[in-house]
Amino acid sequence: MQQLKTAVAVFCIACVCAELVGQLLGDAWGRQCIKAAAGLYILVAFFHALPEIQAGILPFKVPDLPAASFGSAEDAILLQAQSNLSARLEEQITRETGLSVSVDVTLEESQSGVQAVEVQLSPSSETSEQQRSTVENLLCKALDLDTNFIHWTGQAEGG
């Protein structure tokens, strides 16, 4: 290790000398030659010291970790579509019924394309049976879905 430190010191001194020569003589070619010779010197010193360095260092082992699964691009697109559809349906329900309802649509890919398979609704306030029926009808038309796949969660019904 001492040899490597010495080589680095010699290289640094050679670089300083090369800069001085370049500044005093204005000779870029001479400066480049001195730096190249110093660079070769440090490489020789490094390879000479390499066996001693390797003896003192434990070999590096790559950790054996399982590959992370981030899903496919289709899964990411499906999740984004679910999110966008849920947000649009929340806005439509608020606009048409005046209710503030959180909508969570679950989409699945089928042979004929992508279809809604379940809808979770969470009202922010109590809702009447008529309001729920109106929202369910709106969702059935928008998603081509049966009311059996629409589930209300959260607050209880009002009168």
Side-chain angles (χ1 to χ4, degrees):
M1 192 61 147
Q2 184 61 34
Q3 291 174 340
L4 193 57
K5 288 180 183 178
T6 304
V8 170
V10 169
F11 178 73
C12 291
I13 291 171
C15 286
V16 169
C17 291
E19 284 299 317
L20 288 174
V21 167
Q23 292 295 326
L24 294 174
L25 301 177
D27 185 13
W29 185 81
R31 180 178 22 191
Q32 290 174 351
C33 287
I34 293 172
K35 284 187 178 182
L40 289 174
Y41 171 75
I42 199 167
L43 285 175
V44 169
F46 177 73
F47 285 120
H48 180 69
L50 191 61
E52 294 173 13
I53 293 172
Q54 287 180 345
I57 299 175
L58 295 174
F60 175 73
K61 293 183 181 177
V62 177
D64 186 23
L65 300 173
S69 175
F70 297 108
S72 65
E74 290 85 8
D75 294 337
I77 292 169
L78 192 62
L79 287 173
Q80 186 62 43
Q82 284 178 182
S83 176
N84 291 347
L85 180 60
S86 296
R88 285 194 359 234
L89 288 171
E90 286 175 8
E91 291 174 9
Q92 183 178 357
I93 290 169
T94 302
R95 187 177 58 250
E96 293 185 19
T97 66
L99 291 175
S100 177
V101 178
S102 175
V103 179
D104 185 23
V105 179
T106 303
L107 299 175
E108 279 187 2
E109 191 173 356
S110 66
Q111 292 178 355
S112 61
V114 176
Q115 64 185 23
V117 293
E118 182 181 28
V119 179
Q120 294 284 332
L121 299 169
S122 299
S124 60
S125 60
E126 291 187 7
T127 57
S128 68
E129 187 63 36
Q130 182 180 358
Q131 289 172 321
R132 288 181 181 225
S133 178
T134 303
V135 170
E136 287 175 2
N137 287 335
L138 189 146
L139 290 173
C140 288
K141 289 177 186 175
L143 300 174
D144 193 28
L145 192 66
D146 189 53
T147 57
N148 295 335
F149 300 102
I150 300 173
H151 306 285
W152 291 85
T153 61
Q155 303 204 358
E157 291 181 34

